[in-house]
Amino acid sequence: MDETHNNKVSLAKGAKDIAKEAKRQAAKNVGKAVDRASDEYSTHRSYNRFQDEEEDENNYNANDQHANDEEGASSDDTEGHDDEDEIYEGEYQGVPAHNEGKLRDGQVALGQPVSDSLKSHKELESERQTDEEELAQQYELIMQECGHGRFQWQLFFVLGLALMSDGVEVFVVGFVLPSAETDMCVKNSGAGWLGSVVYLGMMFGAFFWGGLSDKLGRKQCLLISMSVNGFFAFLSSFVQGYSMFLVCRMVSGFGIGGAVPIVFSYFAEVLAREKRGEHLSWLCMFWMIGGIYASAMAWAIIPHYGWSFSMGSAYQFHSWRVFVVVCALPCVSAVVALTFMPESPRFLLENGKHDEAWMVLKHIHDTNMRARGEPERVFTVNRIKVPKQLDELVEMQNESANPVLKVLYKIKAELRGIWLTFMKCFDYPVKDNTIKLAIVWFTLSFGYYGLSVWFPDVIKHLQADDYASRVKIHNNERIEDFTFNFTLENQIHRNGMFLNDRFISMKIRSVTFIDSSFLNCYFEDVSSVGSYFQNCTFVDSFFYNTDVDDAKLTNSRVINSSFHHNKTGCQMTFDADYSAYWVYFVNFLGTLAVLPGNIVSALLMDKIGRLSMLGGSMVLSGISCFFLWFGTSESMMIFMLCLYNGLSISAWNSLDVVTAELYPTDRRGTGFGFCNAMCKLAAVLGNLIFGSLVGITKAIPILLASSVLVAGGLVGLRLPDTRANVLM
């Protein structure tokens, strides 16, 4: 009987506990509703509101606990382990729990909202959207409290190295292209593919790494992508075959493709609104520094033919390969420095990682305060709004499955996630912005890369025309018993007769022998770069250690003559060839010309607005590009190129800022990656189209670039102004 009586008492006390809990929850929900209603009419939002909610919850807990102590309300059935007494795992680090005061899994109370499992996907999406709007406002206030200081500048230089690597990769293509194709004996039909495959790799890399950064994180994806770029860029300097060289450069481009979308997304997420436009523009300057670095290194290294070594005739390591190794150094430096930086706190919050995000934000705050000489300043944020996490359906794999199949399935799942996030970029309200941004990125890139990548060839053709105008022509000459031990250059010999002549330790550069005869002649240690023998006859002649082969003997007859120890491969030389120096110096000037535009765009980005700068810069650069048509000399072309680069850089800077600000955090990397992929697709098309017309006509590519730039600028003016936006 006593046991039955005790059970009844316990049940009564348990019922009383439930009633008190229901009353507390109902009062809490009413308080929250009133709070939200009043907040809608408030003109100034503060994250104190989020902290007040937590304080109210704690007050309710304290009052309820006090009532239980007075009435002895703890039931015998609930003695033992109490979930409320469980130590929070981040408590020892001082991390506030973002779910304090909330019911734990399995608890039910009267007046509690409907469970997520009973809500439709549309309702959950709507709740998440509301949470993201609240987080955007609170995060902006948090970044203002953290301030702008040492941490942002540290991240600025680290991400700058990564962006510098992207600029280097672009310029390496144009600088290495002539030397690599000559060194590897690439025919004219295969020329130009180096530039195309690199941009193809960058196109796929931008889309892949940008999308993956929305799933795995900014820092992790940037580390992996930069490591891929550095490894294959270094490897490409040692491979000998042109096909393998193309593969290495394509994979290297695939790695560096993730730099631009991740770098700007990463940096934008640690900047307050009033600092974002200016400092993202300053970050763009590292791309210019990468171009200057590549131009300076090419100017200093590639023309020095003596900077090379060989192991037999099969392995050649010429100066352009040294240049490729040197250009990989910024990427390696970026990888090392990036390992010491934290993940983006905004990305962590977006993915429900409250504790990690709070620790990173506290680190940012403390770092900046110590640099200001105010180490006593306390990070006052207690709780940060975390958006509702929507569960995704994931197909489970058998634990005993083949490890290879597990890896393949993991890759498939990540690719599917990237694709689903990409499709969200075409949902309301960002669909129109995505289409407009893609058009602007494509047109700006088509004009810029189409002209810049192949501009060295324009200079070369102008120099070739001048070189051809100074050619010396010799007709019907007869030379006997003469020793040629000096350089023959830029000459044409027709119907010549060479009897008992000796060609020893000499260079024959850009010389053509037509219908000439060589009787009893001796050739030793002869280099014949760009020289040919057409319809010539060799009788009783001897060749030792020369590069004269069937490719240079066009329709020629060789009678009773022998070749010994012929040089293999294509011969390179930069001796007394100042055109290479000139091309690199011109690119150096063109890259340096963007410095004033960088400074102006950074200082005025937040004053005159992103869109005015974007549209105005593209229209003006299109007009300057049009005047390239009237350039008839090298100096005029160089001046117009510098003017075009200086005007277009403001468009690039403003476009980077607008793209980072228009997309919400959960698809910022994907959207930026897609736009950058369109940029590289335009570079491929511009590379092929402009390259096929160089030397034929310059009117079509210049008019085409001018028209698309003006059209793209007009589309850019239709984008929404993001100057006053908080990062969604």
Side-chain angles (χ1 to χ4, degrees), residues 18-193:
I18 294 176
K20 289 181 180 294
E21 178 69 16
K23 183 179 180 180
R24 185 180 68 81
Q25 290 295 332
K28 182 185 70 173
N29 291 333
V30 171
K32 286 185 177 180
V34 173
D35 182 39
R36 287 195 177 93
S38 62
D39 186 65
E40 291 177 357
Y41 294 94
S42 176
T43 58
H44 177 70
R45 289 194 173 188
S46 171
Y47 55 77
N48 290 332
R49 182 172 72 85
F50 301 93
Q51 299 171 13
D52 292 340
E53 292 179 2
E54 181 186 6
E55 292 174 0
D56 293 340
E57 294 170 357
N58 292 336
N59 290 335
Y60 286 126
N61 288 336
N63 294 334
D64 187 59
Q65 182 64 36
H66 180 68
N68 289 340
D69 291 341
E70 288 180 350
E71 301 177 12
S74 59
S75 173
D76 294 339
D77 296 338
T78 59
E79 289 183 358
H81 177 69
D82 189 351
D83 288 340
E84 296 298 331
D85 293 333
E86 184 177 348
I87 296 177
Y88 170 56
E89 62 180 358
E91 186 176 342
Y92 72 97
Q93 293 179 323
V95 182
H98 71 282
N99 58 349
E100 287 180 357
K102 296 182 181 179
L103 292 179
R104 297 180 180 272
D105 294 339
Q107 288 184 309
V108 180
L110 295 177
Q112 188 73 357
V114 180
S115 173
D116 289 347
S117 61
L118 302 179
K119 296 180 182 179
S120 65
H121 184 73
K122 185 176 181 180
E123 291 175 329
L124 294 175
E125 285 281 4
S126 178
E127 291 184 12
R128 177 178 173 84
Q129 180 67 23
T130 303
D131 291 344
E132 289 176 344
E133 292 175 358
E134 294 183 3
L135 171 61
Q137 298 292 337
Q138 186 189 12
Y139 191 81
E140 179 65 27
L141 295 171
I142 293 174
M143 293 312 303
Q144 291 177 8
E145 178 177 340
C146 291
H148 188 92
R150 176 178 294 175
F151 176 84
Q152 281 83 0
W153 285 113
Q154 289 174 347
L155 187 62
F156 174 80
F157 286 106
V158 173
L159 297 180
L161 287 173
L163 197 60
M164 177 181 173
S165 302
D166 182 84
V168 169
E169 187 77 16
V170 170
F171 282 89
V172 163
V173 175
F175 295 151
V176 168
L177 189 60
S179 302
E181 291 174 344
T182 300
D183 188 20
M184 298 178 180
C185 307
V186 179
K187 298 180 179 179
N188 291 333
S189 59
W193 277 108

Side-chain angles (χ1 to χ4, degrees), residues 191-462:
W193 277 108
L194 176 58
S196 299
V197 299
V198 170
Y199 287 120
L200 282 174
M202 296 175 77
M203 179 182 70
F204 289 109
F207 182 79
F208 176 78
W209 296 114
L212 197 63
S213 69
D214 287 333
K215 299 295 181 183
L216 301 183
R218 318 300 191 205
K219 173 188 173 181
Q220 184 175 356
C221 287
L222 187 58
L223 267 175
I224 299 174
S225 65
M226 297 298 294
S227 299
V228 171
N229 169 250
F231 176 77
F232 282 94
F234 184 78
L235 183 63
S236 67
S237 65
F238 294 95
V239 298
Q240 294 294 300
Y242 190 62
S243 299
M244 193 62 189
F245 182 76
L246 288 179
V247 172
C248 288
R249 294 312 304 186
M250 182 175 67
V251 179
S252 173
F254 176 79
I256 199 62
V260 172
I262 300 178
V263 162
F264 284 100
S265 299
Y266 193 172
F267 197 49
E269 291 170 356
V270 296
L271 294 174
R273 177 173 51 195
E274 66 271 10
K275 298 288 186 180
R276 199 161 52 233
E278 177 184 352
H279 287 271
L280 285 176
S281 299
W282 288 123
L283 184 64
C284 295
M285 190 174 293
F286 279 94
W287 200 92
M288 174 204 70
I289 296 174
I292 293 176
Y293 175 81
S295 302
M297 292 300 100
W299 190 17
I301 296 175
I302 295 181
H304 293 277
Y305 183 68
W307 291 23
S308 62
F309 66 89
S310 61
M311 291 184 292
S313 60
Y315 189 85
Q316 305 287 331
F317 196 90
H318 291 131
S319 56
W320 68 266
R321 298 180 183 273
V322 178
F323 167 70
V324 172
V325 173
V326 172
C327 285
L329 296 180
C331 178
V332 176
S333 302
V335 171
V336 174
L338 194 61
T339 57
F340 298 97
M341 304 307 297
E343 181 58 84
S344 164
R346 184 61 192 273
F347 169 81
L348 295 173
L349 289 171
E350 196 72 24
N351 289 270
K353 300 179 180 180
H354 174 275
D355 300 349
E356 297 178 35
W358 190 90
M359 291 296 293
V360 173
L361 290 170
K362 185 178 185 300
H363 169 69
I364 296 174
H365 175 274
D366 294 346
T367 301
N368 292 340
M369 293 305 109
R370 285 195 300 268
R372 292 181 182 180
E374 302 176 6
E376 70 281 357
R377 289 279 294 272
V378 179
F379 187 50
T380 61
V381 177
N382 292 328
R383 188 173 69 84
I384 308 174
K385 186 69 176 179
V386 176
K388 182 179 292 294
Q389 302 302 303
L390 303 182
D391 295 333
E392 298 180 359
L393 295 177
V394 179
E395 181 182 352
M396 301 302 294
Q397 291 289 303
N398 192 338
E399 291 295 331
S400 60
N402 191 312
V404 177
L405 294 179
K406 288 184 179 180
V407 173
L408 294 177
Y409 176 77
K410 179 66 174 177
I411 295 175
K412 178 182 176 182
E414 293 296 342
L415 292 177
R416 181 176 179 274
I418 293 173
W419 178 254
L420 293 177
T421 306
F422 169 65
M423 295 307 296
K424 289 182 180 179
C425 295
F426 291 91
D427 292 341
Y428 179 82
V430 298
K431 176 181 178 181
D432 292 341
N433 296 336
T434 298
I435 296 174
K436 292 175 185 177
L437 282 173
I439 294 174
V440 177
W441 275 93
F442 185 91
T443 54
L444 181 58
S445 175
F446 185 83
Y448 180 83
Y449 285 104
L451 292 176
S452 299
V453 173
W454 285 96
F455 188 77
D457 278 359
V458 176
I459 299 293
K460 286 174 58 179
H461 277 278
L462 290 174

Side-chain angles (χ1 to χ4, degrees), residues 600 603-613 721 723:
V600 171
L603 296 178
L604 300 181
M605 184 67 69
D606 292 319
K607 292 182 174 61
I608 67 175
R610 288 86 157 114
L611 301 186
S612 299
M613 187 168 293
D721 191 4
R723 189 172 11 172

Side-chain angles (χ1 to χ4, degrees), residues 552-603:
K552 298 182 179 181
L553 300 175
T554 306
N555 297 325
S556 297
R557 296 183 300 164
V558 180
I559 302 173
N560 197 27
S561 300
S562 58
F563 296 81
H564 300 274
H565 297 284
N566 257 27
K567 299 178 181 179
T568 59
C570 298
Q571 304 302 311
M572 298 178 58
T573 178
F574 289 93
D575 296 345
D577 184 5
Y578 297 101
S579 62
Y581 286 96
W582 184 242
V583 168
Y584 305 140
F585 181 67
V586 167
N587 278 273
F588 177 83
L589 291 178
T591 308
L592 192 62
V594 307
L595 179 60
N598 258 315
I599 297 175
V600 171
S601 63
L603 296 178

